[in-house]
Amino acid sequence: MKRSSRARIGAAATVSVLSLALITGCGGGSDDDSKESGASKESGASSSPSTTTAAKALSAAELKKLFLAKGELAGYEVDTAGDDTLPKSKSEVKTDKAACAPLAHAMAGLAPGDTDASASYTVTKKPKATASSDEASLEDALDVELNFVGLSSYDGDGAERAVKTVSDAVTACAGGFTITAQGEKQKITEVAAGKPSGKGDESVAFSVGSDMDGEGKATFDTEVVRVGNTVSTYYTVNFASLDGGKAAPVPTALVDAQLAKLK
C-alpha cells in the first residue's frame, strides 16, 4: 500500500469512526423487506431442520444479557455500549432495493428479519505493540480489527425466515445496491456468497464490495447464524486490509464464543 493511501485510510479511521458508519453498509428499508423468494446452498447458506415453531422471542434486555463480557474472549476488547456511529433502528437508513435491506441490516448489527427484539455491541481485536519506525507504526495503527455483533430474537419460525431473507438477498442483490445513511449515499457494487461456518442451526455468509469515493473498492465479510429462535450477525472491518479490496474474515473464535452463550 502506498503511504498516501495509508494516510487517507488512517484519517478515515480516526474521525470518531464517522466514515465507518458508511463503509460498514449500515442500511435500512421498509417493513416489507422480510418478504421471501427462495433460498439455496448456492447463496452461502447451511442449515438444519426447524425446531422453532413454538418459540417465543426474547426481549432486547434479555438479549443484552447474552452479550460477551469483558475477558470472555482472549485477545479482544468487548464494548457492550455499541458504536454511536451506527444506526439504532432501521428507520434511520434506507436501501434503494427493498430486497437488499436484510444484508444492510446484518452489516449494521440490526435485526435482518421482522422483529423489535434486537441489540448490538462491538468487539475489537487488541492491537499489536507499536513498532519503532514510522512506517511500521502506521502499519500497526491501521491494523485494527472491528467486529459488529448483533443479536435478534423472533416468535415462531421468524428466525428461520430472517435467515432466509438474507440468503435470498445474496442472490437478488449480486449486482449491488445503494445505502443512504446520515444524509450520505454509499454504493455497494457487488454481493457474493461466502462460505458459511456451519455453526448453529443454520448459517449464511456473504461479502460486499463497496466503492470508496473513487479510491478503489473495499470488501467486507458478514456472517449470520441462527441458534433456535435467536439470530446473531457478525460484520468485520480491518482498515489495514482495505487496500487491494481484501476482506477481513469474521473471526471464528468470536462466533464460537458468542454462540456458546446462546445454546
Side-chain angles (χ1 to χ4, degrees):
M1 181 192 299
K2 294 181 180 179
R3 188 178 182 85
S4 60
S5 296
R6 286 176 176 165
R8 284 194 295 272
I9 295 172
T14 56
V15 186
S16 301
V17 203
L18 183 59
S19 62
L20 185 61
L22 294 177
I23 65 172
T24 52
C26 49
S30 69
D31 291 337
D32 294 332
D33 297 341
S34 61
K35 291 182 180 179
E36 304 170 322
S37 62
S40 70
K41 298 279 186 180
E42 296 175 353
S43 60
S46 66
S47 64
S48 62
S50 170
T51 58
T52 61
T53 303
K56 295 296 182 182
L58 298 175
S59 67
E62 289 172 320
L63 288 172
K64 289 180 180 180
K65 293 179 181 179
L66 298 175
F67 286 172
L68 288 178
K70 183 179 295 186
E72 289 188 328
L73 183 58
Y76 288 82
E77 295 288 351
V78 175
D79 181 4
T80 56
D83 192 301
D84 289 338
T85 66
L86 294 179
K88 296 296 185 269
S89 71
K90 299 176 184 180
S91 63
E92 295 181 24
V93 290
K94 302 294 181 183
T95 54
D96 65 335
K97 299 176 183 177
C100 304
L103 304 182
H105 295 158
M107 290 185 285
L110 297 170
D114 186 12
T115 183
D116 293 326
S118 65
S120 63
Y121 68 105
T122 58
V123 180
T124 306
K125 187 174 184 179
K126 294 179 181 178
K128 301 175 182 177
T130 303
S132 57
S133 71
D134 291 341
E135 188 72 10
S137 296
L138 180 57
E139 184 77 25
D140 291 340
L142 291 176
D143 191 15
V144 177
E145 178 192 289
L146 300 173
N147 298 279
F148 299 88
V149 183
L151 300 181
S152 54
S153 189
Y154 306 78
D155 289 327
D157 65 349
E160 292 172 281
R161 289 187 284 109
V163 174
K164 186 176 185 298
T165 62
V166 174
S167 182
D168 290 347
V170 172
T171 299
C173 304
F177 59 100
T178 300
I179 298 162
T180 301
Q182 299 175 336
E184 299 289 340
K185 290 187 176 181
Q186 180 66 23
K187 176 64 178 176
I188 301 300
T189 58
E190 60 185 318
V191 178
K195 183 178 180 181
S197 65
K199 307 287 185 178
D201 295 318
E202 60 180 326
S203 57
V204 178
F206 64 91
S207 64
V208 300
S210 177
D211 178 60
M212 301 297 287
D213 294 327
E215 295 295 334
K217 184 188 77 171
T219 304
F220 304 97
D221 283 354
T222 301
E223 180 154 8
V224 178
V225 184
R226 178 179 68 83
V227 174
N229 67 325
T230 300
V231 173
S232 57
T233 62
Y234 309 86
Y235 175 78
T236 301
V237 177
N238 188 316
F239 289 99
S241 69
L242 295 184
D243 190 61
K246 295 181 179 179
V250 174
T252 300
L254 170 59
V255 177
D256 287 343
Q258 179 59 80
L259 293 187
K261 304 198 74 168
L262 301 182
K263 295 180 178 179

